[in-house]
Amino acid sequence: VVSRFASTHHGRNIIMQLQAPCDFRTAQMLATETRAAMLLESMAAESGGVTFAPADTLASQKAIALAQKGGLLTPEACVRVRDASEVATRLKRLLDETTRAARGDDASSLAALAVKVELVEPLDNLCAEISRTIDEEAM
Protein backbone atom coordinates (compact mmCIF):
# COMPACT_ATOMS: atom_id res chain seq x y z
CA VAL A 1 0.00 0.00 0.00
CA VAL A 2 2.77 2.46 0.90
CA SER A 3 4.61 1.70 -2.35
CA ARG A 4 2.02 3.63 -4.38
CA PHE A 5 3.42 6.84 -2.87
CA ALA A 6 6.95 6.21 -4.14
CA SER A 7 8.00 8.63 -6.86
CA THR A 8 10.27 6.17 -8.70
CA HIS A 9 10.18 2.54 -9.77
CA HIS A 10 13.36 1.92 -7.76
CA GLY A 11 11.72 3.41 -4.67
CA ARG A 12 8.68 1.18 -5.11
CA ASN A 13 10.93 -1.89 -5.35
CA ILE A 14 12.77 -0.96 -2.15
CA ILE A 15 9.48 -0.38 -0.31
CA MET A 16 8.12 -3.73 -1.48
CA GLN A 17 11.18 -5.47 -0.01
CA LEU A 18 10.79 -3.87 3.41
CA GLN A 19 9.55 -6.01 6.26
CA ALA A 20 7.76 -4.71 9.32
CA PRO A 21 9.94 -4.95 12.42
CA CYS A 22 8.92 -7.66 14.89
CA ASP A 23 10.46 -6.19 18.03
CA PHE A 24 9.76 -2.93 19.82
CA ARG A 25 13.39 -1.73 19.89
CA THR A 26 13.74 -1.96 16.10
CA ALA A 27 10.37 -0.28 15.56
CA GLN A 28 11.37 2.53 17.91
CA MET A 29 14.72 3.01 16.13
CA LEU A 30 13.01 3.16 12.72
CA ALA A 31 10.43 5.63 14.05
CA THR A 32 13.26 7.84 15.34
CA GLU A 33 15.00 7.74 11.95
CA THR A 34 11.73 8.56 10.19
CA ARG A 35 11.14 11.52 12.52
CA ALA A 36 14.66 12.76 11.82
CA ALA A 37 14.25 12.38 8.06
CA MET A 38 10.95 14.30 8.15
CA LEU A 39 12.51 17.03 10.29
CA LEU A 40 15.47 17.26 7.93
CA GLU A 41 13.13 17.43 4.95
CA SER A 42 11.19 20.32 6.48
CA MET A 43 14.42 22.14 7.37
CA ALA A 44 15.65 21.66 3.79
CA ALA A 45 12.41 23.09 2.43
CA GLU A 46 12.62 26.12 4.75
CA SER A 47 16.19 26.91 3.74
CA GLY A 48 15.78 26.11 0.06
CA GLY A 49 18.30 23.39 0.98
CA VAL A 50 18.79 20.11 -0.78
CA THR A 51 17.27 19.15 -4.06
CA PHE A 52 17.54 15.58 -5.24
CA ALA A 53 16.43 16.36 -8.78
CA PRO A 54 19.74 15.84 -10.60
CA ALA A 55 20.70 12.69 -8.72
CA ASP A 56 19.75 9.35 -10.26
CA THR A 57 20.91 7.15 -7.41
CA LEU A 58 20.05 3.82 -9.05
CA ALA A 59 22.04 4.69 -12.17
CA SER A 60 24.86 5.96 -9.97
CA GLN A 61 24.92 2.70 -8.00
CA LYS A 62 25.12 0.71 -11.23
CA ALA A 63 27.93 2.93 -12.54
CA ILE A 64 29.92 2.60 -9.32
CA ALA A 65 29.46 -1.19 -9.33
CA LEU A 66 30.72 -1.30 -12.92
CA ALA A 67 33.75 0.84 -12.05
CA GLN A 68 34.54 -1.37 -9.05
CA LYS A 69 34.71 -4.34 -11.43
CA GLY A 70 37.14 -2.45 -13.67
CA GLY A 71 34.58 -1.38 -16.25
CA LEU A 72 34.76 1.91 -18.11
CA LEU A 73 32.07 4.50 -17.49
CA THR A 74 30.41 6.56 -20.18
CA PRO A 75 30.53 10.33 -19.79
CA GLU A 76 26.82 10.23 -18.86
CA ALA A 77 27.52 7.71 -16.09
CA CYS A 78 30.36 9.87 -14.76
CA VAL A 79 28.03 12.88 -14.62
CA ARG A 80 25.40 10.81 -12.74
CA VAL A 81 28.01 9.72 -10.19
CA ARG A 82 29.13 13.34 -9.78
CA ASP A 83 25.53 14.55 -9.31
CA ALA A 84 24.77 11.86 -6.72
CA SER A 85 27.97 12.67 -4.83
CA GLU A 86 27.19 16.38 -4.79
CA VAL A 87 23.65 15.76 -3.50
CA ALA A 88 24.99 13.43 -0.77
CA THR A 89 27.52 16.07 0.28
CA ARG A 90 24.82 18.79 0.43
CA LEU A 91 22.57 16.46 2.44
CA LYS A 92 25.36 15.71 4.92
CA ARG A 93 26.14 19.41 5.30
CA LEU A 94 22.46 20.23 5.89
CA LEU A 95 22.16 17.41 8.43
CA ASP A 96 25.24 18.69 10.29
CA GLU A 97 23.85 22.24 10.39
CA THR A 98 20.38 21.07 11.42
CA THR A 99 21.77 18.80 14.15
CA ARG A 100 23.82 21.65 15.65
CA ALA A 101 20.75 23.92 15.72
CA ALA A 102 18.28 21.31 17.06
CA ARG A 103 17.15 20.95 20.66
CA GLY A 104 15.48 18.21 22.74
CA ASP A 105 13.81 15.31 20.93
CA ASP A 106 14.70 16.79 17.57
CA ALA A 107 18.39 16.74 18.45
CA SER A 108 18.33 13.10 19.54
CA SER A 109 16.36 12.06 16.43
CA LEU A 110 18.80 13.87 14.16
CA ALA A 111 21.78 12.40 15.99
CA ALA A 112 20.45 8.91 15.21
CA LEU A 113 20.24 9.79 11.51
CA ALA A 114 23.66 11.49 11.57
CA VAL A 115 25.29 8.18 12.51
CA LYS A 116 24.03 6.73 9.20
CA VAL A 117 25.23 9.70 7.17
CA GLU A 118 28.63 9.82 8.88
CA LEU A 119 30.11 7.55 6.23
CA VAL A 120 29.35 9.96 3.39
CA GLU A 121 32.65 11.36 2.24
CA PRO A 122 32.76 14.39 -0.02
CA LEU A 123 34.38 13.53 -3.34
CA ASP A 124 35.20 17.13 -4.25
CA ASN A 125 38.28 16.29 -6.32
CA LEU A 126 36.48 13.60 -8.32
CA CYS A 127 33.47 15.85 -8.90
CA ALA A 128 35.68 18.74 -10.00
CA GLU A 129 37.61 16.49 -12.38
CA ILE A 130 34.41 15.12 -13.93
CA SER A 131 33.10 18.66 -14.38
CA ARG A 132 36.41 19.81 -15.86
CA THR A 133 36.81 17.00 -18.38
CA ILE A 134 33.26 16.34 -19.56
CA ASP A 135 31.42 18.85 -21.73
CA GLU A 136 27.82 18.22 -20.73
CA GLU A 137 26.49 20.46 -23.50
CA ALA A 138 28.12 18.21 -26.09
CA MET A 139 26.55 15.03 -24.67
Side-chain angles (χ1 to χ4, degrees), residues 53-67:
D56 181 347
T57 55
L58 181 59
S60 298
Q61 287 174 337
K62 288 179 179 179
I64 291 168
L66 176 63

Side-chain angles (χ1 to χ4, degrees), residues 33-46 98 102 105-107 109-110:
E33 287 180 8
T34 301
R35 175 179 162 71
M38 291 174 69
L39 179 64
L40 186 62
E41 183 178 41
S42 71
M43 298 292 274
E46 287 174 16
T98 306
D105 287 343
D106 290 347
S109 295
L110 288 166

Side-chain angles (χ1 to χ4, degrees), residues 2-136:
V2 175
S3 64
R4 359 176 243 171
F5 298 105
S7 58
T8 66
H9 179 69
H10 180 60
R12 277 188 287 284
N13 288 342
I14 289 173
I15 291 169
M16 295 300 287
Q17 293 174 9
L18 292 175
Q19 294 182 0
C22 359
D23 64 286
F24 180 73
R25 179 177 244 147
T26 303
Q28 195 171 28
M29 180 196 68
L30 292 172
T32 299
E33 287 180 8
T34 301
R35 175 179 162 71
M38 291 174 69
L39 179 64
L40 186 62
E41 183 178 41
S42 71
M43 298 292 274
E46 287 174 16
S47 68
V50 177
T51 175
F52 294 93
D56 181 347
T57 55
L58 181 59
S60 298
Q61 287 174 337
K62 288 179 179 179
I64 291 168
L66 176 63
Q68 287 175 326
K69 294 176 185 174
L72 295 177
L73 300 185
T74 64
E76 292 85 2
C78 289
V79 169
R80 283 193 295 269
V81 169
R82 181 207 58 201
D83 290 346
S85 175
E86 289 175 346
V87 166
T89 300
R90 287 194 304 271
L91 177 61
K92 183 176 182 180
R93 199 171 297 129
L94 178 65
L95 180 60
D96 290 344
E97 291 168 8
T98 306
T99 302
R100 282 194 299 274
R103 301 284 180 257
D105 287 343
D106 290 347
S108 60
S109 295
L110 288 166
L113 188 59
V115 169
K116 304 261 184 198
V117 180
E118 217 172 76
L119 301 175
V120 173
E121 292 182 37
L123 302 173
D124 298 333
N125 292 337
L126 175 64
C127 292
E129 191 62 19
I130 290 170
S131 295
R132 187 184 70 74
T133 57
I134 295 177
D135 180 5
E136 292 179 68

